[in-house]
């Protein structure tokens, strides 16, 4: 499992971003767009001029109905044409969008129904909850352009899949401020023999960032404050604290441990290379990643469903991966563990 940054460093970055970020509710007919010869896209409204990052640009592309391939080609080869297209279709849509900014760049272009559940709010609820759990250790955390991640493990709850193969109970919390996923709390299994993590996303609590519309009256744009967070947002965060405790319960861990023991007895009877290929198509593993996973499977010498799960989570530690993708692969490992028996059998016999 990637260690990421220390919890102190992550907390300091959350605090820095909390001060540096601003949110605007903007009428699209008040937006002006400039695209430089280098392909940089700037959004202007009122006295604000913001450089849009790639994620915000993809959201703008979707909102205006400009296909991504055409959008990217114009950005490279015809910046003035892209600026005209964007300005025209933004003005034509004549609606309101939430523009989330950080360090003077537009990082998200979202619906006015987007419910802001920010990293600072999550940390204020989750970190005290984690500190109250006996024997708990934060083993990995990070704040990326996409998400906040906190992963913690308790030595108090553990068990063996096989002799010497010890798992410990944990929890993985993640949140996105830019529309890249819900606030999630997922049970985590931590394998001591290789320090791999496995996230069981099907057991999760998640709250998608969708709420009521925020209004700006007759103004072209409005700067939104933290006070616009409503009472139901606070209730969601308090529920998160309760779900963290549930994810770390002995009952939750016992169920997961039993699944792992069953998986250890479910053999791969087909061609391992074909098994990984078929599995990749099913659970979202790229072609470039299959070779590394197959290598870990063969080197591990465990041709069972549990061996396949561990090959995926072992590959998630590859130095070529970014933290976001490494965590996604930990979740893929959980998906494989929780596949229905009939689905697994179809994969296991692939030849």
């Amino acid at each position: 499992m990637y260690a990421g940054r220390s919890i102190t460093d992550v907390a300091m970055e959350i605090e820095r971003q909390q001060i540096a970020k601003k949110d605007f509710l903007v009428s699209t007919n008040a937006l002006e767009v400039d695209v430089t010869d280098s392909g940089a896209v700037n959004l202007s409204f009122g006295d604000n001029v913001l450089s849009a990052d790639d994620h915000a640009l993809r959201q703008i592309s979707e909102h205006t109905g400009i296909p991504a391939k055409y959008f990217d080609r114009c950005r490279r080869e015809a910046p003035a044409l892209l600026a005209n297209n964007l300005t025209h279709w933004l003005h034509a849509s004549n609606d309101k969008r939430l523009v989330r900014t950080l360090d003077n760049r537009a990082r998200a272009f979202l619906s006015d129904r987007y419910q802001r559940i920010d990293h600072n709010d999550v940390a204020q609820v989750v970190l005290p909850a984690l500190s109250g759990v006996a024997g708990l250790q934060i083993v990995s955390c990070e704040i990326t352009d996409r998400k906040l991640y906190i992963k913690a493990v308790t030595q108090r709850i553990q068990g063996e899949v096989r002799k010497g193969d010890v798992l410990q109970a944990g929890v993985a919390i993640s949140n996105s401020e830019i529309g890249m996923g819900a606030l999630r709390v997922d049970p985590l299994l931590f394998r001591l023999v290789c320090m791999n993590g496995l996230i069981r996303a099907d057991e999760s609590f998640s709250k998608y960032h969708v709420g009521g519309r925020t209004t700006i009256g007759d103004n072209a744009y409005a700067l939104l404050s933290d006070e616009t967070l409503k009472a139901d947002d606070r209730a969601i965060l308090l529920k998160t604290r309760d779900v963290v405790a549930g994810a770390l319960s002995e009952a939750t861990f016992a169920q997961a441990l039993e699944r792992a023991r069953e998986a250890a007895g479910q053999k791969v009877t087909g061609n391992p290379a074909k098994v990984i290929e078929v599995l990749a198509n099913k659970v979202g593993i790229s072609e470039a990643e299959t070779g590394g996973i197959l290598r870990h499977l063969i080197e591990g010498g465990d041709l069972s469903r549990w061996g396949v799960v561990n090959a995926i989570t072992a590959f998630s530690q590859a130095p070529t991966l970014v933290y976001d993708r490494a965590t996604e692969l930990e979740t893929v490992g959980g998906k494989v563990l929780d596949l229905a028996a009939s689905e697994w059998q179809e994969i296991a016999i692939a030849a």
Side-chain angles (χ1 to χ4, degrees):
M1 178 185 292
Y2 276 17
R5 301 187 228 184
S6 72
I7 188 61
T8 301
D9 287 346
V10 167
M12 290 176 61
E13 178 61 12
I14 290 173
E15 183 177 357
R16 185 198 74 80
Q17 291 189 11
Q18 191 67 19
I19 296 169
K21 66 189 178 185
K22 295 179 181 178
D23 292 337
F24 297 91
L25 194 62
V26 185
S27 295
T28 55
N29 58 12
L31 282 168
E32 298 298 331
V33 182
D34 174 64
V35 185
T36 68
D37 290 341
S38 64
V41 180
N42 298 315
L43 304 178
S44 302
F45 53 94
D47 296 329
N48 302 283
V49 180
L50 303 168
S51 175
D53 68 16
D54 288 343
H55 175 69
L57 291 179
R58 191 58 70 222
Q59 291 173 326
I60 293 170
S61 171
E62 292 173 0
H63 179 71
T64 55
I66 300 175
K69 187 174 181 179
Y70 176 73
F71 187 104
D72 293 342
R73 183 179 180 187
C74 285
R75 192 178 173 193
R76 292 190 307 270
E77 301 175 16
L81 177 61
L82 178 59
N84 289 336
N85 269 285
L86 287 172
T87 299
H88 175 84
W89 292 115
L90 285 168
H91 289 186
S93 66
N94 192 28
D95 59 4
K96 297 176 179 64
R97 302 296 287 179
L98 175 62
V99 180
R100 308 211 75 180
T101 79
L102 177 65
D103 300 329
N104 207 39
R105 59 182 174 84
R107 57 182 180 141
F109 190 80
L110 298 157
S111 164
D112 59 351
R113 295 179 63 90
Y114 186 82
Q115 189 171 21
R116 295 182 300 155
I117 301 175
D118 284 352
H119 300 336
N120 181 65
D121 303 299
V122 173
Q124 286 183 1
V125 169
V126 165
L127 293 180
L130 294 177
S131 66
V133 178
L136 190 84
Q137 178 186 5
I138 294 177
V139 293
S140 178
C141 55
E142 186 59 275
I143 181 167
T144 71
D145 288 341
R146 295 173 59 184
K147 292 183 178 183
L148 166 70
Y149 302 90
I150 301 172
K151 302 171 187 176
V153 172
T154 177
Q155 301 173 9
R156 184 175 57 84
I157 305 173
Q158 63 181 31
E160 288 184 317
V161 179
R162 302 179 178 123
K163 187 172 179 58
D165 190 357
V166 178
L167 299 182
Q168 292 181 340
V171 62
I173 298 115
S174 61
N175 183 58
S176 176
E177 296 184 336
I178 60 170
M180 293 295 290
L183 165 61
R184 299 187 65 91
V185 178
D186 296 296
L188 171 74
L189 296 178
F190 191 64
R191 190 174 184 232
L192 294 186
V193 69
C194 54
M195 311 299 279
N196 289 347
L198 178 151
I199 298 172
R200 297 191 70 209
D202 70 327
E203 296 289 341
S204 68
F205 159 78
S206 63
K207 177 63 180 76
Y208 288 90
H209 298 242
V210 179
R213 283 192 169 85
T214 305
T215 60
I216 60 173
D218 296 327
N219 297 321
Y221 71 93
L223 176 64
L224 301 180
S225 68
D226 291 340
E227 283 67 35
T228 59
L229 286 171
K230 299 178 291 301
D232 56 341
D233 302 336
R234 308 296 183 191
I236 289 164
L237 291 166
L238 291 175
K239 183 179 179 182
T240 303
R241 181 183 61 190
D242 297 336
V243 175
V244 167
L248 288 165
S249 71
E250 292 189 16
T252 299
F253 177 74
Q255 182 193 52
L257 181 61
E258 184 58 31
R259 293 285 295 186
R261 287 170 174 168
E262 291 172 358
Q266 296 170 334
K267 298 301 182 182
V268 170
T269 57
N271 181 330
K274 189 65 177 178
V275 167
I276 298 301
E277 179 185 333
V278 172
L279 181 67
N281 292 330
K282 192 173 195 64
V283 297
I285 297 169
S286 74
E287 183 176 351
E289 293 166 340
T290 57
I293 293 171
L294 178 61
R295 185 181 69 253
H296 280 290
L297 177 62
I298 300 304
E299 290 176 353
D302 180 5
L303 295 182
S304 69
R305 192 204 299 217
W306 183 238
V308 171
V309 167
N310 291 321
I312 295 168
T313 58
F315 179 75
S316 75
Q317 299 187 57
T320 54
L321 298 176
V322 298
Y323 194 99
D324 294 298
R325 182 54 183 163
T327 301
E328 288 170 355
L329 286 170
E330 291 169 358
T331 304
V332 168
K335 288 180 181 178
V336 175
L337 181 65
D338 289 318
L339 284 173
S342 57
E343 291 181 284
W344 166 251
Q345 188 57 30
E346 290 177 6
I347 295 166
I349 62 175

